[in-house]
Amino acid sequence: PGIQDRLFEFHQSGIYHFDNSTAVFIDPVRVLNRSYSRFTVSPSAYYSRFFEDSGDKPVQKQIEGSRKRKRKKEKQLHPLTETEQIAEQRHQKARPFLLRAHEALLEATELLGVLRNLRNDEFTEEGSLQKMENDDLDFVQLGSVWQAPLCEICLHLDQDNVPAEEGAVGLVPCSEGMSMPVFNNLVMNESANDVEAEILNHRYIMPKKSCFYMSDLRDIHNLVPAESDCGFNLILIDPPWENSSAHQKLKYQTLPNRHFLSLPIKQLTHTGGALVALWVTNREKLRRFIESELFPAWGLRYAATFYWLKIKADGSLIGELDLFHHRPYECLLLGYSIQQDADIGKLPGHKPLPNNQVFISVPGDYSRKPPLGDMLLEYAPSCGDTRCLELFARELSAGRCCWGNETLRFQDRKYFSTR
Ligand code: SAM
C-alpha cells in the first residue's frame, strides 16, 4: 500500500506498518478507542509525558541531565560483573532489531508529522484538563478495608440491557441502573455500547463487552473457571515486579517474585491451550528467575520475545539505547500454556509467532503498557471465539476480562471525552 493508504489505515486502527520493516508504530489512544462508541479516550490525558518540547526545559535541568548521564557512563568503566555481562549480551542481541525499527520510523517522514500532533484532542470538553486533578478513588485502599464488600458500582445500562429476570445475580436497581459489589465480584457490561458507571459519586466508563474482577492476589482463584473449556486462550500479565526505583514505589505496591509462582496459570488456561504474554523489566536476575523458575512453574513453553521501543513525540528515543540501567525499551516474553506432550504446531488455529517483533510508541502514564492484546489475538490457540484475560490490569478493554487490585484506574471519566 502507498503512504496515503497506510496513513489512512493508521488513523482507523492506530497501527502503522513500515515499508521495509516488520516493526510497527502504534498510537495507544486510537487502539483503545476501538473499544468505545460513545466516549473516546482523550489523547491529552493519555499522553501525560514525552510531549514537552525539550527546548522549553530550563537549561539547568538539561545540564543536570547530561551530568547524570556522564556519571553513569563513568560508572560503566568498571569491569562488568558476570550478571551484567549476560545482560549486555541480551541487549546486544536485541540491538539490531531495535535500531532497524527506529531507522524505519525516522525514514517515515509523513508519520513523524502525524506523531507530533498525536496529543491534540479531536473532541475537547470544557475544563477537561482542570478535571485531571488528584481526586481519584484509591481502589487498593478501598478494597482493603472491612467495608469493601459494601462498596457498590452502579451501571447505567441501556434499557435493553437490563437483565430480564428480577433479582438476577444479586443486582439491585439504583438510580437509572443496576448496582452490585465492585470488589471481589465479576462486573460485566455485556452490551454492545460503552456504559457509564458510578462508584461513591465518581464516574467510570466500561467498554462494550468487557468485564472485570477487582481483588487482591489472595482472591485470584475466584477467576478459575469451573469448566476448563471456559478457560482463556490469551493471557496478558504485567506483574508488579520489585524495583529499586523510588518513583515506582510511590505508584503501586510491588510483590516479591515468589508470589507470582502461585498464579494459577494452568487452571486459567483453556483446554485448547493459551498464549501467555508476560511483561518483564530489564533486570537480569528477574529474567533468570522467569526462565528457570516461573515459566516452568506455570507450565509455559517459551516461544518468542517482543520489544516495546519508547520514543518521544519528536521521534527520538526516550533515552540512549546503550545506557546500562535505563534502556529505552521493555520486553514482552511469550510462551504457550499447553499440555506437556502437545505439539505447538498442531494447536487449533495455530499461526507461528514472529520473534523479535518491535512495537514503537510514545509512553503514557508511569508503567502503562501499550495495548498489544488485540495484535496477539491472531497467535492465540483457539477455534473461533478467543477468550482473553489480563492480569494486574489498570484499564479495561472490549472483549476482555481484566483482573487486578485497581482495574478501573484508567477508566475514570476524566480520561475520556464524549464524541
Ligand atoms: N498493565 C498495567 C498498565 O499498563 O497500566 C500496569 C500494571 S502495574 C505494572 C502492576 C499492577 O499490579 C498495579 O496496578 C498494582 O496495583 C497491582 N498489584 C500490586 N499488588 C497487587 C496485589 N497484591 N493484588 C492485585 N494486584 C496487585
Side-chain angles (χ1 to χ4, degrees), residues 140 215-218 238-241 252-255 279 366-370 390-395 403-406 410:
V140 181
S215 80
D216 184 77
L217 183 59
R218 74 177 86 91
D238 185 14
W241 303 117
Y252 53 78
Q253 303 166 339
T254 57
L255 292 169
W279 284 103
Y366 182 81
S367 194
R368 192 170 184 183
K369 305 301 188 297
E390 183 170 339
L391 302 181
F392 301 103
R394 293 192 295 185
E395 66 192 337
W403 170 84
N405 63 8
E406 49 171 358
F410 294 123

Side-chain angles (χ1 to χ4, degrees), residues 142-296:
L142 270 177
S144 63
V145 295
W146 69 265
Q147 298 95 330
L150 306 173
C151 186
E152 301 216 310
I153 179 168
C154 174
L155 294 190
H156 297 282
L157 293 164
D158 291 344
Q159 224 35 48
D160 312 348
N161 289 302
V162 174
E165 299 161 49
E166 249 181 62
V169 284
L171 291 179
V172 182
C174 54
S175 63
E176 310 162 51
M178 302 302 276
S179 85
M180 62 207 90
V182 70
F183 295 108
N184 284 284
N185 185 29
L186 192 65
V187 179
M188 292 194 263
N189 170 19
E190 290 181 291
S191 75
N193 277 316
D194 22 318
V195 298
E196 261 191 284
E198 211 175 303
I199 307 165
L200 301 171
N201 288 323
H202 282 67
R203 300 224 153 205
Y204 294 86
I205 310 298
M206 270 192 88
K208 60 186 174 193
K209 308 261 175 232
S210 66
C211 74
F212 71 87
Y213 192 96
M214 191 147 53
S215 80
D216 184 77
L217 183 59
R218 74 177 86 91
D219 297 309
I220 195 176
H221 58 271
N222 291 329
L223 276 182
V224 173
E227 320 271 335
S228 65
D229 56 358
C230 292
F232 297 93
N233 311 97
L234 176 61
I235 306 179
L236 311 163
I237 315 174
D238 185 14
W241 303 117
E242 283 184 335
N243 186 322
S244 54
S245 144
H247 184 57
Q248 188 270 338
K249 282 179 190 146
L250 292 173
K251 296 285 178 177
Y252 53 78
Q253 303 166 339
T254 57
L255 292 169
N257 288 348
R258 67 191 143 82
H259 288 258
F260 304 119
L261 290 168
S262 57
L263 279 181
I265 301 301
K266 278 184 205 162
Q267 296 92 310
L268 289 166
T269 295
H270 191 276
T271 11
L275 175 64
V276 177
L278 176 69
W279 284 103
V280 297
T281 67
N282 289 315
R283 270 180 58 225
E284 186 52 35
K285 278 191 184 150
L286 176 66
R287 296 294 287 272
R288 229 186 266 173
F289 163 75
I290 292 166
E291 281 165 14
S292 63
E293 293 184 59
L294 197 61
F295 266 34

Side-chain angles (χ1 to χ4, degrees), residues 314-375:
D314 63 3
S316 64
L317 299 181
I318 63 157
E320 287 169 48
L321 186 58
D322 297 315
L323 210 55
F324 197 86
H325 292 288
H326 293 276
R327 305 282 194 216
Y329 64 89
E330 288 186 46
C331 304
L332 184 69
L333 302 184
L334 296 138
Y336 287 101
S337 168
I338 46 175
Q339 271 150 18
Q340 240 171 16
D341 49 353
D343 180 350
I344 292 179
K346 292 197 180 129
L347 289 175
H350 177 70
K351 183 176 169 193
L353 254 179
N355 198 9
N356 300 309
Q357 174 83 46
V358 181
F359 295 91
I360 309 177
S361 76
V362 180
D365 220 307
Y366 182 81
S367 194
R368 192 170 184 183
K369 305 301 188 297
L372 304 184
D374 285 358
M375 271 173 276

